[in-house]
Amino acid sequence: MLKASFFIIIFSGLIGCSKAPKFDQTELQPGGDITAKRVSHRTYVVEGKGVNAKQKLDFWTGFSLFRDPWVIAPSSTKDRDGLGPLFNTRSCISCHSRGGRGPAPEVGLSSPSAMVIRLGLKDQDSSFSHYSKSPSSEIYGEQIQTRAINTVHETQLPKVIKPEAKLNLAYETITGQYADGSEYQLHKPSYQLRELNYGEIGKEAGLSPRFAPVVYGAGLLDAIAEADLLAQEDIDDSDQNGISARYNRVPMVKKHTSDDAYAEPTLGIGRFGFKAKHPTLAQQVAAAFRDDIGITSSWFPAESCGPAQKGCAIASKLGRHTDVEIPNKLLKLVVDTNQFMAVPPTRNLLSEEAQQGRELFYKGGCALCHTPSYTTAADYPVAVLANQKIWPYTDLALHDMGAGLADGVVENDASGKEWRTPPLWGLGAQKVFRKAPLYLHDGRAKSVAEAILWHGGEALASQTFFKNLSQTERQELLTFLDAI
């Protein structure tokens, strides 16, 4: 304990030497040409000011598929049928309300839409080398679906296809103190699955809660050059700053037709998802369709039915009028909506208080993980996203965030304590049209200050820095984060 405390004191001194760079006017337009013209008080769903007429049309056409609920097949609405058989929600917007984060998960027993529970191998379990070998994945796959379609189309089907489980959520209140004696409260969640309809989950499997993130700016994150990300990787902490950024190496799923033989995917650098599970925006969108809504595509043509879920397997074939439920041309339109959704402009960033907070952001070492700026790849195939100076405040890398935030679950190369650094742009805009915004991977933090106080592991020194600030300085830092 003494050694750890000594490290924090010494390291806090080191990060205290970090000075903020000179203010750049491009910081006021964090998404470059994909910045919104103004802050909306109703929604994030607006196209970037630099998109052309054709891209604007594609954006809003894709948004109709993002917004409208999917229905059970067969249906007269063939562009939006194929829901389930197992699913968490009926539409993208029910998870990403107004393009932001969805409704808060309920305390107690529920079937949430914006909160999903991923299943993964516990990282301390050495008896399996990969989650796909876990017996639990044979039943429930990689995600719990809390809803299911009802069908009586065929006599061999059960009259009701049962959801996989319900979530039981509870919170414990933890009280702490800042260095100046001010008190704070944190809310520690606990997650249990109830009403398991297909058997118990094995002891080797862990639960990983994920609360749907904001959508805006995703196209720009996709456009950052891989070389610029890998230049930040420092697995062995060779610069001895206490930060060991590393990137999740994840499968790049190959789109295929019914004539293609399955090919083992190559690995890419993960960018999307709380543990950086997907390397591209298109793959992330396709995976969400399959896992959350039960809509198959050429990326993921198989339903998420486990071998033990016979009714699900049979129902997945009923009413299908194509090989997959969302064709490439429609999936691309939804990707376009994600690509072109505007980043909110900054708010009062030039105020004296925000500029003082900017100095503290760098001094506290926050920028060591929340990399402020990039210029997107000049050769990115979508011209409006290419060669843009952007300010997302993320390195998109994995970091050990300590035991307090750990889910104990492995996802590809990510350990149970590792999470991808989330972007911070537009953070304060969440309060503009939502009275109770939620933060962190599972929405446990009800304020940005709470989110900072949950930081541990590699971020412990920055958390300690924040706790040691005066009340005025804490407010200055929070004002800066609210402004970007």
Side-chain angles (χ1 to χ4, degrees):
M1 181 64 72
L2 179 61
K3 183 177 180 181
S5 301
F6 179 75
F7 171 78
I8 292 170
I9 293 169
I10 295 298
F11 184 50
S12 296
L14 290 174
I15 62 175
C17 297
S18 302
K19 184 173 175 59
K22 183 180 178 181
F23 185 80
D24 187 327
Q25 287 297 314
T26 63
E27 295 181 45
L28 299 173
Q29 300 291 312
D33 286 346
I34 304 298
T35 306
K37 293 179 181 179
R38 61 188 67 85
V39 176
S40 169
H41 289 264
R42 297 185 302 106
T43 182
Y44 289 116
V45 183
V46 61
E47 76 280 1
K49 59 187 178 182
V51 304
N52 61 36
K54 172 64 165 57
Q55 290 166 337
K56 183 175 181 179
L57 176 62
D58 291 344
F59 174 86
W60 288 108
T61 304
F63 178 65
S64 68
L65 297 164
F66 184 95
R67 176 197 61 209
D68 296 340
W70 290 73
V71 298
I72 300 170
S75 164
S76 59
T77 311
K78 294 189 183 300
D79 281 349
R80 287 190 293 105
D81 72 358
L83 176 71
L86 296 168
F87 63 99
N88 293 97
T89 187
R90 294 175 181 269
S91 68
C92 305
I93 205 163
S94 66
C95 288
H96 306 280
S97 302
R98 307 174 189 178
R101 308 197 81 171
E106 298 176 21
V107 174
L109 199 64
S110 71
S111 300
S113 58
M115 168 79 82
V116 300
I117 300 295
R118 303 285 298 174
L119 292 179
L121 186 69
K122 293 178 180 177
D123 60 0
Q124 68 268 29
D125 190 333
S126 59
S127 62
F128 297 92
S129 60
H130 192 272
Y131 176 67
S132 63
K133 297 181 180 179
S134 163
S136 297
S137 69
E138 293 292 310
I139 303 174
Y140 293 103
E142 295 183 351
Q143 182 169 307
I144 292 292
Q145 277 87 26
T146 56
R147 294 179 172 85
I149 64 172
N150 293 341
T151 179
V152 290
H153 288 304
E154 298 286 343
T155 57
Q156 67 266 38
L157 280 176
K159 290 185 178 180
V160 176
I161 297 174
K162 295 180 179 180
E164 292 182 324
K166 287 187 176 181
L167 173 65
N168 191 33
L169 172 63
Y171 289 98
E172 172 192 353
T173 300
I174 300 172
T175 302
Q177 279 192 334
Y178 292 107
D180 63 8
S182 303
E183 280 197 354
Y184 61 79
Q185 288 188 336
L186 302 179
H187 303 88
K188 181 180 179 181
S190 64
Y191 304 93
Q192 295 177 318
L193 294 177
R194 293 285 185 260
E195 299 182 22
L196 290 155
N197 285 313
Y198 299 93
E200 292 300 313
I201 293 175
K203 294 180 180 179
E204 76 291 335
L207 310 184
S208 182
R210 313 288 174 88
F211 182 52
V214 298
V215 175
Y216 60 80
L220 293 167
L221 300 179
D222 199 51
I224 298 172
E226 184 175 293
D228 290 342
L229 295 178
L230 290 177
Q232 302 174 106
E233 192 163 46
D234 187 18
I235 297 173
D236 299 319
D237 191 19
S238 59
D239 57 8
Q240 297 185 326
N241 66 354
I243 305 298
S244 304
R246 70 189 192 95
Y247 290 90
N248 205 352
R249 269 65 176 180
V250 297
M252 297 189 69
V253 177
K254 176 181 179 290
K255 287 193 297 183
H256 63 284
T257 68
S258 58
D259 297 327
D260 291 335
Y262 178 77
E264 189 70 25
T266 57
L267 295 182
I269 301 301
R271 302 175 189 233
F272 297 97
F274 288 108
K275 284 184 182 274
K277 180 180 176 62
H278 294 291
T280 66
L281 176 59
Q283 184 173 314
Q284 168 67 32
V285 172
F289 264 112
R290 196 275 304 272
D291 294 340
D292 300 341
I293 311 178
I295 300 297
T296 60
S297 67
S298 61
W299 295 81
F300 298 97
E303 299 278 6
S304 56
C305 302
Q309 296 167 333
K310 304 299 184 184
C312 176
I314 297 170
S316 69
K317 297 178 174 61
L318 294 175
R320 182 175 285 195
H321 46 81
T322 58
D323 289 337
V324 296
E325 291 158 334
I326 182 168
N328 289 339
K329 65 178 182 179
L330 297 186
L331 183 64
K332 182 184 180 301
L333 288 171
V334 182
V335 173
D336 288 341
T337 297
N338 284 260
Q339 278 190 322
F340 301 134
M341 194 177 296
V343 177
T346 58
R347 299 152 304 284
N348 302 316
L349 183 56
L350 294 178
S351 70
E352 182 178 353
E353 189 175 31
Q355 288 296 302
Q356 290 292 339
R358 182 177 180 271
E359 292 289 335
L360 293 168
F361 180 83
Y362 286 89
K363 185 178 181 181
C366 308
L368 296 176
C369 298
H370 290 281
T371 304
S373 182
Y374 301 86
T375 298
T376 59
D379 59 353
Y380 190 72
V382 182
V384 73
L385 301 173
N387 203 33
Q388 295 293 306
K389 184 69 176 289
I390 62 172
W391 295 82
Y393 297 91
T394 176
D395 59 6
L396 297 178
L398 298 172
H399 295 276
D400 179 344
M401 294 300 294
L405 289 177
D407 63 357
V409 173
V410 173
E411 194 164 273
N412 298 98
D413 287 342
S415 76
K417 290 184 179 180
E418 289 180 313
W419 298 97
R420 183 206 67 160
T421 307
L424 299 181
W425 51 11
L427 195 66
Q430 296 183 37
K431 295 188 296 185
V432 172
F433 58 82
R434 181 168 182 166
K435 293 181 180 179
L438 302 174
Y439 306 94
L440 296 177
H441 67 278
D442 55 2
R444 71 176 69 184
K446 302 182 188 306
S447 68
V448 175
E450 281 188 51
I452 296 171
L453 291 166
W454 273 110
H455 282 47
E458 295 172 45
L460 182 58
S462 292
Q463 180 239 59
T464 302
F465 174 86
F466 179 69
K467 289 172 69 174
N468 286 332
L469 294 175
S470 67
Q471 185 172 359
T472 298
E473 290 171 324
R474 290 198 304 274
Q475 186 54 52
E476 289 171 344
L477 177 57
L478 294 173
T479 297
F480 168 70
L481 294 173
D482 188 70
I484 59 175

